[in-house]
Structures are given as C-alpha cells and as structure tokens.
Amino acid sequence: MFVKPLRKAVLPVAGLGTRVLPATKSIPKEMLPVVDRPAVQYVVDEAIEAGIEHIIFVTGRAKSAIEDYFDRAFELETILRGKGKSDVLEALNTILPEPGTMSFVRQQAPLGLGHAIWCARDIIGDEPFAVLLPDVLIEGQTGCLAQMAKVYAEHGGNIIAVDEVPNTDVHKYGVIDPGTKTGRLSEMRGMVEKPAAQDAPSNLKITGRYILQPEILELLENQETGAGGEIQLTDAMARLMQNQPFHAYEYEGMDFDCGDRLGYLRAIAHFALGHKELAVGARAIFENALAHKS
Ligand code: G1P
C-alpha cells in the first residue's frame, strides 16, 4: 500500500485562553512556561520527533509572541555573545527552526477548531497533515505523534489519538464510538463532540493529536456549526469517516490540559519531576511544600 508521507503539522494557537485568565491576559497561553520552556515548545518538539518538516501555526491577534519566540533575537544574542554566554546562546539556537519551515496564518474570528484548520488549507495543500492541539501536552517514552506516525506508515488513512476519561468528564471532549479493536488501534463507527454523559458512545475522548487526509478541508469548507455554535473538526471527521479509512489509536503516555488551571499545574509537576537537571531539586521542593502546607 502506498502511503503519502506525513510532512506538515497544524498547530491552532488562536484561542484566547479564557480558562486560565488572568495569566493569559497579555501573553498567549501557548507561551506559559512549563518548568523551563513555553508550553508550545513541547508540542513543536513532539511534531519534530514524529518527522514533521513544516509547522503551520493558525494564530490570532495578540499572538505575535509565538512568532517572535521561533525567530532570531538579534539584540539578545549580541548581548549574550558579548558576555561570553555561549551555552545559553547554543540553547537558544536549538529552538530555531530551519528557515522557511514554519508558516503563520491568521484565523480572523473565533469560529471553532474546524474553521481554524480550514484557515491553513492553502499551506497544507494536497497532502496528509497532522494536527496538534497545543493546550494538550503529552508525556510518553515516545511522543504521541511519533507513535501515530508509525501506525500511519502501516495503515495510511486517518488516525486520531484517544484515551479514557471518567464518564463525568465526557461532555468536555470529542468522544468516539469504537468498533473492532486490534492492539491499540480501533476501527471507528462514529464520533460526537461534547456529548452529555448519557449520550456518549464510550468514554474514549479525542486527545488532541490527529493525522488527517486533505479531503477533510473540502468538508470543513461547508461544515455547519455544531457544539457550542462552532465549526467543529469532530463533525467534519465524522463525515470523512464515511468514505475513508479512519482509526482511533490509544496512545502510550499521559496527557495534560494546560488550558485548565489544575491541568497546567499537573503538567508542571510531571515535567519537573521528569526533567534531567531539575528532577531532584523539584522533588525536594514538592515534598517541602507538602510538609509545610498539609
Ligand atoms: C477540542 C476538540 C475535542 C477534543 C479536545 C481535546 O475541544 O474539539 O474534540 O476532545 O479539544 O482537548 P476544546 O478543548 O477546544 O473545546
């Protein structure tokens, strides 16, 4: 079977971050630090690990800090060079993408995730592409998208990452109706965005990592609004599923919703305790804080 290579990824970063205000009043939520890097860096690293060659950010007003972050900071670099801080300079250089490997397109109105992805259509072109929701950080031995890319290379078609949530939480997510399961991979019978607990077809939520075929873009073009009055990617995927192979993949790892205050805190705790240089210090800090506050 010929499988078109996966080269591009879309990161929708236009959201306002209302659930973590006031922290996000004047900085994009994607730039909130998780230990020692902005959240978006983790997601970009995950995409690169999966072999992605071009990243398309769908941004909005007040998000220019993201573009600046992935650009050279000439003044800062000159000062660091003058002070002989070559280690810091080198660390900054590792962030820099190869010239021309990142694109930025604006979503001019908050019409939903489906609309955000559609805004990237000209840059995606006629190729399969990944979507990574940057609110969601995923920790795992192998990155979630790299796991999916491996499955994609074998099966082609469309693949979305899923994981279990308690029944009480299904209304916050897209939820799938799984069919036959082989290992971690399930065929799909359906999916629904933000169902009430009693209507949810399962407790497998759509995690926020997708590999999609470009035909989804034509469906998004005329997708009617769905849950929350927004153009939902889930609704267009449910239509695409009628004509194309579609699988759900239960990835290995743990996800953190950084668009939520406690989810963000959980991410910081986990990534600090897994950090090669800071883990020991972080553990001592957490134990100390618990001893004093409990
Ligand atoms: C989006 C998707 C939803 C998915 C969720 C994961 O919802 O629409 O299907 O389960 O991300 O975080 P949002 O969080 O933007 O409401």
Side-chain angles (χ1 to χ4, degrees):
M1 183 180 51
F2 173 71
V3 174
K4 262 197 185 177
L6 177 69
R7 300 187 321 111
K8 294 178 180 170
V10 181
L11 269 65
V13 294
L16 295 174
T18 45
R19 287 184 295 153
V20 277
L21 278 168
T24 50
K25 187 175 172 196
S26 56
I27 53 167
K29 61 179 169 175
E30 296 78 12
M31 293 304 294
L32 290 177
V34 174
V35 190
D36 55 358
R37 288 174 288 163
V40 69
Q41 179 75 62
Y42 290 82
V43 184
V44 166
D45 288 347
E46 185 188 329
I48 291 169
E49 182 194 346
I52 294 298
E53 295 166 12
H54 192 110
I55 296 185
I56 305 159
F57 289 90
V58 182
T59 74
R61 287 180 68 76
K63 294 281 182 165
S64 52
I66 300 173
E67 275 182 66
D68 291 343
Y69 177 77
F70 289 107
D71 195 2
R72 282 212 171 277
F74 190 73
E75 206 178 292
L76 175 65
E77 287 170 29
T78 308
I79 292 168
L80 289 173
R81 204 166 294 118
K83 287 182 186 285
K85 301 221 176 224
S86 51
D87 50 336
V88 188
L89 263 174
E90 207 179 302
L92 285 183
N93 271 332
T94 61
I95 298 167
L96 273 185
E98 287 294 315
T101 59
M102 280 188 177
S103 301
F104 297 82
V105 59
R106 279 202 181 192
Q107 183 187 27
Q108 292 155 327
L111 300 179
L113 176 60
H115 178 259
I117 304 304
W118 179 76
C119 287
R121 66 196 177 286
D122 279 358
I123 309 173
I124 297 170
D126 190 25
E127 295 189 33
F129 62 100
V131 175
L132 299 97
L133 304 189
D135 273 359
V136 181
L137 299 192
I138 300 184
E139 196 190 35
Q141 284 280 347
T142 305
C144 178
L145 191 67
Q147 296 174 41
M148 293 167 71
K150 193 160 174 262
V151 176
Y152 172 73
E154 287 163 25
H155 294 262
N158 302 269
I159 301 169
I160 55 175
V162 297
D163 65 282
E164 282 185 12
V165 275
N167 231 31
T168 44
D169 281 347
V170 285
H171 66 280
K172 299 181 191 164
Y173 301 101
V175 177
I176 67 151
D177 184 4
T180 313
K181 190 173 169 188
T182 315
R184 294 181 170 272
L185 205 61
S186 299
E187 282 171 15
M188 296 273 288
R189 285 199 300 231
M191 61 182 107
V192 51
E193 184 68 17
K194 308 215 165 62
Q198 67 272 19
D199 302 329
S202 74
N203 65 345
L204 286 171
K205 76 163 199 272
I206 299 174
T207 311
R209 301 292 185 267
Y210 314 71
I211 294 176
L212 298 169
Q213 295 300 319
E215 288 75 21
I216 189 89
L217 300 167
E218 291 154 33
L219 298 174
L220 285 169
E221 173 106 32
N222 57 21
Q223 183 60 51
E224 285 172 13
T225 54
E230 296 188 342
I231 298 172
Q232 295 291 354
L233 182 60
T234 303
D235 295 342
M237 292 194 299
R239 287 163 65 208
L240 185 65
M241 217 184 65
Q242 312 299 324
N243 306 313
Q244 287 199 6
F246 217 117
H247 289 96
Y249 174 73
E250 285 181 57
Y251 69 95
E252 236 179 312
M254 197 189 269
D255 69 311
F256 308 96
D257 177 7
C258 290
D260 169 82
R261 286 179 296 174
L262 282 177
Y264 174 55
L265 203 55
R266 221 161 59 80
I268 292 175
H270 275 260
F271 283 104
L273 291 171
H275 195 289
K276 0 191 230 314
E277 289 160 28
L278 304 177
V280 174
R283 183 171 296 277
I285 288 168
F286 293 145
E287 280 168 0
N288 189 272
L290 279 173
H292 281 81
K293 293 286 181 189
S294 49

